[in-house]
């Protein structure tokens, strides 16, 4: 299956902007940063650059994931926020819809991850060379066919939530890389970054930003 990049054309949804930081709600289907080749130049940071010419990258969301994303507007803010992410001082909460019934109601996946080179950008569990990765979950509601779950990543590995949920036997619905059959047959990846808590790089005040779940 050949992938055609066709991002949604809606204008960026700004959640918060001040002299140091910019928080947006990234739509599913839009790259965070430019991909390889001119056809993948359109992305979140480029769309923001017109109104916010000093915008700087702090972290990324997968192409298929929607939700809260923060950018720095000064080098100081970028450094400060990047350090908060590296030192796991931010708190990220995601909502996902999973295939089947996830049990028990709460739990933790603690499995190291590494890129699956022959099948990149896929990632895989690797106990020898993988980097540590932990995800907590809390079931919101479930049926025999589907579970809505709140996910709390303690680390920030690439595709962490997607591979960790796959490892439980309950893949995220609509995942173009990891789901198959009926679980893949959804209009988008059912994963959304619902909230992000961080300290403002200037005031040091704790702030929480939210984006409503679109599914």
């Amino acid at each position: 299956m050949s992938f055609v990049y066709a991002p949604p054309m809606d204008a960026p949804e700004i959640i918060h902007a001040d002299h140091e930081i910019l928080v947006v709600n990234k739509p599913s289907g839009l790259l965070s940063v430019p991909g390889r080749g001119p056809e993948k130049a359109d992305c979140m940071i480029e769309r923001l650059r017109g109104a916010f010419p000093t915008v700087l990258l702090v972290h990324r969301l997968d192409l298929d994931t929607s939700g809260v994303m923060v950018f720095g507007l000064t080098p100081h803010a970028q450094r400060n926020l990047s350090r908060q992410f590296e030192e796991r001082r931010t708190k990220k909460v995601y909502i996902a819809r999973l295939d089947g019934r996830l049990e028990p109601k709460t739990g933790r996946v603690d499995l190291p991850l590494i890129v699956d080179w022959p099948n990149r950008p896929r990632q895989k569990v690797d106990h020898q060379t993988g980097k540590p990765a932990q995800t907590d979950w809390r079931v919101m509601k479930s049926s025999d066919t589907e579970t809505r779950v709140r996910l709390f990543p303690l680390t920030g590995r690439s595709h962490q939530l997607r591979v960790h949920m796959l490892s439980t036997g309950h893949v995220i619905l609509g995942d173009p890389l990891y789901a198959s059959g009926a679980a893949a047959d959804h209009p988008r990846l059912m994963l959304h970054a619902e909230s992000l808590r961080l300290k403002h790089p200037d005031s040091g005040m704790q702030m929480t930003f939210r984006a409503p779940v679109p599914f």
Side-chain angles (χ1 to χ4, degrees):
M1 186 179 75
S2 61
F3 169 73
V4 177
Y5 181 48
M9 294 316 295
D10 319 2
E13 185 184 329
I14 309 299
I15 297 171
H16 172 90
D18 61 36
H19 62 295
E20 290 275 7
I21 69 172
L22 173 63
V23 186
V24 301
N25 182 8
K26 187 187 89 64
S28 175
L30 179 66
L31 288 164
S32 294
V33 295
R36 282 206 186 94
E39 72 282 0
K40 291 183 183 167
D42 185 15
C43 61
M44 194 78 231
I45 196 165
E46 287 305 324
R47 290 188 184 187
L48 294 169
R49 214 179 287 285
F52 303 93
T54 64
V55 66
L56 296 164
L57 188 73
V58 173
H59 68 125
R60 305 174 192 213
L61 290 179
D62 290 348
L63 164 75
D64 301 299
T65 305
S66 56
V68 181
M69 195 173 169
V70 64
F71 294 86
L73 292 177
T74 67
H76 162 73
Q78 183 191 39
R79 279 192 304 273
N80 181 287
L81 292 167
S82 297
R83 197 174 306 120
Q84 289 186 54
F85 275 90
E86 283 163 23
E87 295 174 359
R88 303 179 194 174
R89 288 186 280 125
T90 59
K91 186 178 182 186
K92 297 171 276 187
V93 181
Y94 289 73
I95 302 291
R97 287 171 55 196
L98 310 180
D99 184 43
R101 186 189 293 273
L102 175 63
E103 291 181 321
K105 295 289 187 194
T106 61
R108 172 174 292 185
V109 180
D110 186 354
L111 292 170
L113 302 175
I114 194 169
V115 66
D116 183 357
W117 275 106
N119 303 300
R120 63 186 185 277
R122 284 173 62 106
Q123 309 287 312
K124 64 179 182 178
V125 174
D126 188 314
H127 291 279
Q128 271 69 52
T129 55
K131 292 181 176 176
Q134 295 88 29
T135 304
D136 287 346
W137 85 75
R138 189 163 69 234
V139 171
M140 299 167 72
K141 63 178 181 181
S142 60
S143 68
D144 288 340
T145 56
E146 186 180 315
T147 301
R148 181 175 284 262
V149 68
R150 200 164 252 130
L151 300 172
F152 308 91
L154 307 179
T155 51
R157 307 297 175 206
S158 185
H159 294 188
Q160 175 176 319
L161 302 179
R162 298 161 74 169
V163 179
H164 275 177
M165 290 303 97
L166 177 68
S167 76
T168 68
H170 303 281
V171 71
I172 298 175
L173 294 172
D175 195 324
L177 288 176
Y178 302 99
S180 57
D185 190 20
H186 287 264
R188 56 158 291 180
L189 173 71
M190 297 296 171
L191 179 64
H192 177 75
E194 182 189 34
S195 71
L196 174 64
R197 192 176 79 205
L198 50 82
K199 276 190 175 177
H200 192 280
D202 188 19
S203 68
M205 198 168 78
Q206 284 277 7
M207 303 179 82
T208 301
F209 302 101
R210 290 186 173 84
V213 183
F215 51 77

